[in-house]
Amino acid sequence: MSTLIKNGRIITAADDYVADIFIEGEAVTAIGKHLQVNPDKVIDASGMLVFPGGIDPHVHLDMPFMGTFSSDDHETGTRAALFGGTTMVIDYAIQPHGKSLHWALETWKEKAAGKAFGDYSFHICITEFNESIKAELEEIIKTEGITSFKTFMAYKGALMIDDRQMIGIMNEVKKHGGIVAVHATSGDMIDYLTEKHKAEGKLSPLYHYLSQPEITETEASGRFIDLAYLSGVNSYIVHMTCEGALNKVREATSRNQRVLAETCPQYLLLDASLYEMDFEGAKWVMSPPIREEKDRETLWAGIKQGLVQTVGTDHCPFMWHEKLRGEHDFTKIPNGAPGIEHRLELLFSEGVLKNRISLNKFVEITATNVAKIFGLFPEKGTIAVGSDADIVIFDPSKKHTISAKTHHHRCDYSAYEGWEVTGKAKTVLLRGKIAIDDDKVQIGKGYGKFFKRKTI
Ligand code: DUC
Ligand code: ZN
Ligand code: ZN
């Protein structure tokens, strides 16, 4: 099967030009003006932008968490992602206490196999580090192709590790060329504030926010950066929300340290005043919480300055009845919100069209940098001869309103209900196949493939 995409404005992290793209099988085989080829199918992309398929570096599909599971699994989650132009996701496989890293990987592979519409890989969350986990790391990185490991500095008693374990993980991951990612908030500070608020009878969603103030993230980010400096490991801070944390990254550059950072659309666009709406604020109960105007300004600046390299969604949806478990106690509200479908359109509409970022930067943070950092480039993350034909044909002037009535998430509310955005994925190709066309899915479940990754 061959396809010719004609006359699109091709945007990569480096380029911006009008040309034709010829695809044979799963890969791009030629790019040029007025290509003379005999395709099986022609797509006219005149007036459209043509981006590399988005790669979401941070999603939680079918994740066991806080006594329930995130409501999108690998089938519905990757399908919703495709509708929004995200052709690949990197999900989190979690190692429960007492289980091995191999167990986590095999369990998550089983969850996704035969179900995923889009391509996928996994980070592994290490929740316990000991000699036997240490002994697994080399094989996981070199043979299994899992090069990134997430650690938690919060959720004490469940996911959190201590600094000694963090040092052990960092040293071992460094030895084998991987990268250590972190949920950087201080578990002890948060637990102290949470207990205090509960003792005072302050139990509404607002106190979720007030139990995780900026300092809890600033402190943990700084500590993680210092530990990474000691070990010299490649380091990545996930879902960064605030000025204090970004300034820790900025400070580290003055001692020639490089720390990579990710933020999410919700931290770039939403405001903490949402938590003041009685229990409805539970829709945005996530960790870390949404913050303030000064933080949003800092994060947009951080993207421009190259201090923030990627934007993921931290997609972790829960149905409203699950959120209601915390109606009388914010600590029982499952943490997380939906968003996997809207990353590209929100960043285009609010970022590119409002002159906060350039088109090239848009591609860099949604695809290219993700592929580079997590060992998928140049197979993924760009439009080039030899790369997988993961391509988004994007209508830059299509207006639409985000709503739970029309989104494809398996979630009965939207974190962006009523948001009017301009720009929408029209046609999405995944490894040469048309996956989405004019709001209809064209591939079957199970088309999505697991990808091993390289060290960087
Ligand atoms: N934060 C969330 O809000 N949900 C899932 C895990 C996390 O770190
Ligand atoms: Zn996290
Ligand atoms: Zn997360």
Side-chain angles (χ1 to χ4, degrees), residues 414-441:
S414 171
Y416 302 94
E417 187 67 41
W419 274 60
E420 289 179 7
V421 290
T422 303
K424 193 174 191 337
K426 185 176 186 315
T427 305
V428 180
L429 288 95
L430 174 57
R431 283 181 282 109
K433 266 207 172 179
I434 295 179
I436 301 290
D437 197 28
D438 277 334
D439 241 356
K440 286 189 196 61
V441 66

Side-chain angles (χ1 to χ4, degrees), residues 58 150 152 183 238-239 287:
H58 191 152
K150 184 178 176 189
F152 287 84
H183 173 120
V238 306
H239 55 42
S287 293

Side-chain angles (χ1 to χ4, degrees), residues 24 76 92 156 176 197 200 202 226 230 268 280 288 294 301 398 421:
E24 290 174 286
T76 59
Y92 286 93
K156 205 170 182 176
H176 306 299
H197 288 135
E200 292 165 359
K202 295 171 174 165
D226 287 344
L230 186 73
L268 290 164
E280 204 186 337
K294 68 158 183 67
K398 174 94 179 166
V421 290

Side-chain angles (χ1 to χ4, degrees), residues 303-375:
I303 289 173
K304 272 200 179 162
Q305 293 164 340
L307 292 169
V308 175
Q309 287 78 19
T310 67
V311 178
T313 57
D314 199 5
H315 178 75
C316 190
F318 295 98
M319 292 296 205
W320 185 243
H321 73 268
E322 300 280 14
K323 290 278 183 180
L324 279 171
R325 287 145 48 109
E327 200 171 1
H328 305 294
D329 177 356
F330 70 88
T331 65
K332 296 195 169 63
I333 302 170
N335 287 197
I340 203 169
E341 182 171 350
H342 306 307
R343 187 177 63 127
L344 266 59
E345 58 201 27
L346 284 168
L347 290 173
F348 181 81
S349 194
E350 296 292 322
V352 176
L353 296 184
K354 295 196 173 165
N355 292 320
R356 287 163 160 151
I357 51 172
S358 69
L359 273 169
N360 300 114
K361 183 58 96 173
F362 168 85
V363 170
E364 205 181 299
I365 60 179
T366 56
T368 315
N369 281 350
V370 183
K372 287 184 175 170
I373 292 167
F374 295 112

